[in-house]
Amino acid sequence: MSRQGGQPRAIVPVGILLLVLLPLLLLPLGAMFVFAFSGGWSDFRAALQTPEAEFALRFSLLIAFATAAINALLGTFAAYVLTKFEFPGRGLLMTLINLPVAIPTVVVGTSLLLLWGPIGLIGRWLDPQGIQPMFAPAGVLLAHLFVTFPYLLGTVKPLMGELETTYEEAALTIGASRWQTFWHVILPGLRPAIFTGALLTFAHSLGEFGATVMVSGNLRLKTQTAPLYIYSQFETGNIAGANAVAAVLATVSFIIFVVVLGSLSPTRARQ
Amino acid sequence: MNLRRVRTVVRAMFPIVFMGALFLYALWPWLPFHDDTRTRRTIVFYGFSVLEAPIVERISPGFLKAWKDSTGESIDLRSSFAGSGTVTNQIITGVPAQLALLSLEPDADRLAEAGVVEPKSWRKLPHDGIVNRSPFVIVVRAGNPHGIRDFEDLARPGIRVVHPDPLTSGAASWSIVAEYGAGARAHPEDPQAGYRLLLGIWKNVVAQAASARAAMAQFENGFGDALVTYEVEALAGAHAGRPAFEVVYPRRTVLSEHPLVIVDRNIAAPDRAAVDALVRYLWSEEGQRAFVRANFRSVVDSLNRDNPRFGAIEDPFLVEAFGGWARAKADIVDGVWKGRVLEELGR
């Protein structure tokens, strides 16, 4: 900011940008906060303290933590395999893995239902066993893992490709196993990228709607995530209640993105 | 120099502290030092959209207290609400609903066709499975600026009508029967009267929402001049200090009837007693009175006098007047509305 402030005439392009962004981004966000606090601070707190709202927020956060943790492991492993090994079909696999970014999340939800649901390909065998992953927290987690998978890969894989291979080769030459090399040589360099990717995954999971609405069954106090709560409250006409939770989600996401951007800044990257 | 160090440390620590705090908040109720409410038994209840407030605010607390008083056990009622058609589809795809209160019998029939419940099993319950009723009425803006008095007025040119979508909403099917029936019963000598009124109204439909609740939300957000919906929904909308609406009672309209379906396959043996108790509670005097306070009309007519907000209807009719839902769906919804009205409108 201070660097740009020193440049001449920054005020014109910055002003134009703000004017463009005002109706696109800033005013809608502002409207949400205005409605969230339309009844004052005490109403805002009361809206957040209903059992349904509290549960929805907590459930969303727990799912987001689990999604970020599992995808941090899976994504790092996937990035490692896809960068370090040559094998037929690698390109195709890369494309498939990135597909969740492009296909509608509702389709993800439907496809999970058709696999794991009681009438699904695998689900119809599990159902008589009493195993029902769909319409349960496990189903929500599955959907979130699917939808957010590409984000961690996106931050880790480019860095993995850029890593100096000489250290790695040196480690292997002096007799380190592949695992030791990965743990002591490759992983330390990736830590900031994994951290950033995990936070992005977390934020996306927190806001996931399309796939969740298909697989969760939308049971209050059981499988209703915060975005589903917001939607159902809005539909019910409880605009203040919906916006109170929405404001919390937006604030948490905002802080996370500040952290992400901060961790990407040059000072952090050097550490 | 020192200050920079502090800033660096704070910057490095902040994400960890922030995420740690979030984690702690999220996990709080499940931490071991809380008395464990998570192992309580639960009943899973699904209902059509406008039931949300009556069930959550009145029926659920009343029943849970009655159960606690008689057995000493605290249990939980988990509920989910959406358009009746949506709820039906959710149950067919396998949501763990133990009880479902649907907006209309054809949705229960669909559950039977899908093998979820025995055909017509709900008819064995009290009142043929009907838990409560609600006449279909018209909601207009404060002061009734268009002077809407009856369904005929909705067919006037220039009136914008908000209507739920028959694909997902039970209220929409009821509305169609109400509109068709109002026309047919006003002119019993003319076999085309029902079709003409339905066509006139549907020419003016400007929005089709997924459920009665969603339609009310659209209307509240300023869309349209008139809304056709349940009386229970209209009275809730005209209440609670919202920008005032007015409820218009048509001279002739349908009384909707809402069947309860018990999904036996989702009820494990130990939960059976509690589920059955809830079923009995719904038809108990206390339960029916709770529905009346929530602006649903009781299946016990004498209880309806307790709610002074219920308006008078000259000629209320049931779907039986058109041969029950099996006939009404084939003749009116599919035959007249889908086959002729939508055809005529080119939708």
Side-chain angles (χ1 to χ4, degrees):
Chain A
M1 283 297 257
S2 58
R3 263 176 296 150
Q4 279 153 15
Q7 282 171 8
R9 292 172 191 275
I11 189 159
V12 176
V14 170
I16 292 174
L17 180 64
L18 281 180
L19 255 154
V20 173
L21 289 186
L22 210 59
L24 276 179
L25 260 176
L26 307 177
L27 285 179
L29 283 173
M32 185 181 71
F33 280 90
V34 167
F35 272 94
F37 289 100
S38 59
W41 178 249
S42 60
D43 278 18
F44 175 77
R45 280 195 45 186
L48 285 180
Q49 277 169 349
T50 66
E52 285 85 7
E54 284 204 320
F55 175 86
L57 270 174
R58 289 201 161 103
F59 183 58
S60 268
L61 285 168
L62 287 179
I63 290 287
F65 273 112
T67 306
I70 295 171
N71 269 352
L73 285 174
L74 278 179
T76 310
F77 179 66
Y80 177 70
V81 172
L82 288 169
T83 328
K84 300 296 175 190
F85 298 91
E86 284 286 349
F87 55 94
R90 192 176 72 157
L92 181 68
L93 194 59
M94 267 304 289
T95 315
L96 282 179
I97 281 177
N98 278 307
L99 209 56
V101 179
I103 53 176
T105 48
V106 178
V107 177
V108 174
T110 325
S111 64
L112 283 171
L113 272 187
L114 295 179
L115 184 65
W116 298 106
I119 54 167
L121 296 180
I122 300 181
R124 75 176 67 147
W125 306 108
L126 294 179
D127 201 45
Q129 256 67 211
I131 305 170
Q132 272 211 12
M134 291 292 113
F135 314 116
V140 178
L141 183 62
L142 277 175
H144 285 221
L145 288 175
F146 189 151
V147 171
T148 62
F149 193 76
Y151 296 112
L152 195 119
L153 202 65
T155 58
V156 174
K157 193 170 171 296
L159 202 67
M160 184 104 69
E162 282 172 22
L163 280 185
E164 216 35 89
T165 49
T166 41
Y167 296 115
E168 208 182 316
E169 281 158 10
L172 288 170
T173 333
I174 58 172
S177 68
R178 271 209 177 272
W179 171 248
Q180 284 171 320
T181 315
F182 178 78
W183 189 254
H184 294 290
V185 180
I186 299 178
L187 197 61
L190 293 179
R191 224 172 267 152
I194 295 175
F195 182 68
T196 308
L199 281 181
L200 280 176
T201 307
F202 184 88
H204 274 277
S205 165
L206 212 52
E208 212 304 314
F209 180 80
T212 319
V213 74
M214 299 298 293
V215 300
S216 94
N218 198 22
L219 266 180
R220 328 152 116 254
L221 300 173
K222 191 146 179 276
T223 58
Q224 193 175 53
T225 63
L228 296 188
Y229 175 83
I230 293 168
Y231 183 73
S232 75
Q233 291 304 304
F234 207 84
E235 219 190 50
T236 309
N238 179 9
I239 293 174
N243 277 287
V245 175
V248 171
L249 276 195
T251 309
V252 170
S253 302
F254 176 77
I255 295 173
I256 287 173
F257 277 102
V258 168
V259 170
V260 168
L261 292 178
S263 74
L264 290 177
S265 76
T267 45
R268 288 269 310 183
R270 254 186 271 120
Q271 285 172 354
Chain B
M1 196 62 194
N2 217 345
L3 196 71
R4 270 187 75 171
R5 228 187 107 79
V6 170
R7 272 181 58 183
T8 318
V9 170
V10 167
R11 263 187 85 171
M13 292 303 290
F14 176 74
I16 297 163
V17 172
F18 177 71
M19 297 308 282
L22 274 186
F23 191 62
L24 201 65
Y25 167 79
L27 216 55
W28 193 253
W30 288 275
L31 292 178
F33 52 82
H34 287 276
D35 80 294
D36 201 5
T37 55
R38 303 288 139 188
T39 52
R40 278 186 189 177
R41 283 200 289 149
T42 57
I43 299 176
V44 182
F45 182 100
Y46 273 63
F48 64 98
S49 65
V50 304
L51 281 167
E52 179 157 0
I55 295 291
V56 172
E57 290 165 15
R58 295 179 192 272
I59 295 295
S60 172
F63 167 70
L64 295 180
K65 187 174 175 303
W67 180 259
K68 177 107 197 253
D69 288 347
S70 65
T71 65
E73 185 194 12
S74 295
I75 57 172
D76 286 330
L77 187 77
R78 303 268 190 261
S79 51
S80 179
F81 303 92
S84 187
T86 309
V87 168
T88 306
N89 292 336
Q90 285 178 324
I91 295 174
I92 291 172
T93 50
V95 294
Q98 295 172 322
L99 293 176
L101 188 42
L102 301 169
S103 159
L104 71 176
E105 195 172 34
D107 283 338
D109 286 328
R110 283 209 291 135
L111 290 179
E113 276 163 37
V116 179
V117 298
E118 289 295 315
K120 304 290 180 200
S121 54
W122 54 93
R123 292 269 179 101
K124 297 184 196 112
L125 295 167
H127 296 268
D128 281 342
I130 304 302
V131 173
N132 51 30
R133 301 190 172 120
S134 193
F136 268 69
V137 299
I138 304 165
V139 184
V140 296
R141 305 269 168 217
N144 197 357
H146 294 277
I148 292 164
R149 299 268 163 257
D150 210 335
F151 283 127
E152 280 81 20
D153 298 318
L154 297 185
R156 290 202 315 248
I159 303 288
R160 293 170 306 153
V161 180
V162 177
H163 209 293
D165 184 351
L167 263 181
T168 51
S169 162
S173 296
W174 282 116
S175 303
I176 287 170
V177 171
E179 292 151 9
Y180 178 89
R185 289 168 80 90
H187 306 281
E189 73 291 347
D190 177 1
Q192 298 301 316
Y195 160 70
R196 270 205 316 278
L197 181 55
L198 201 55
L199 177 67
I201 293 174
W202 274 80
K203 269 185 183 155
N204 288 338
V205 169
V206 289
Q208 287 185 56
S211 71
R213 255 296 142 93
M216 185 50 127
Q218 279 186 347
F219 190 71
E220 276 178 350
N221 287 329
F223 207 65
D225 303 314
L227 166 75
V228 181
T229 191
Y230 300 98
E231 175 190 51
V232 51
E233 187 66 357
L235 291 179
H239 198 52
R242 299 229 179 100
F245 301 127
E246 275 177 36
V247 182
V248 174
Y249 283 89
R251 275 168 297 171
R252 299 172 188 82
T253 192
V254 76
L255 271 169
S256 66
E257 297 183 304
H258 315 125
L260 181 78
V261 176
I262 302 176
V263 187
D264 289 313
R265 71 172 187 192
N266 290 337
I267 304 173
D271 295 337
R272 176 55 77 171
V275 174
D276 284 347
L278 175 56
V279 172
R280 282 194 302 275
Y281 182 83
L282 291 176
W283 277 289
S284 70
E285 187 172 336
E286 187 183 329
Q288 289 290 311
R289 281 190 192 280
F291 277 123
V292 170
R293 275 195 296 278
N295 297 322
F296 271 104
R297 298 209 182 190
S298 169
V299 285
V300 183
D301 273 328
S302 57
L303 296 180
N304 290 326
R305 287 196 291 269
D306 291 356
N307 189 331
R309 302 184 70 204
F310 289 154
I313 300 158
E314 197 181 297
D315 174 26
F317 54 89
L318 298 176
V319 71
E320 267 65 46
F322 298 97
W325 259 117
R327 286 275 307 280
K329 180 152 180 12
D331 296 349
I332 302 175
V333 178
D334 292 342
V336 178
W337 177 72
K338 205 178 277 176
R340 294 177 63 195
V341 171
L342 288 193
E343 197 72 12
E344 172 77 25
L345 296 173
R347 288 194 198 154

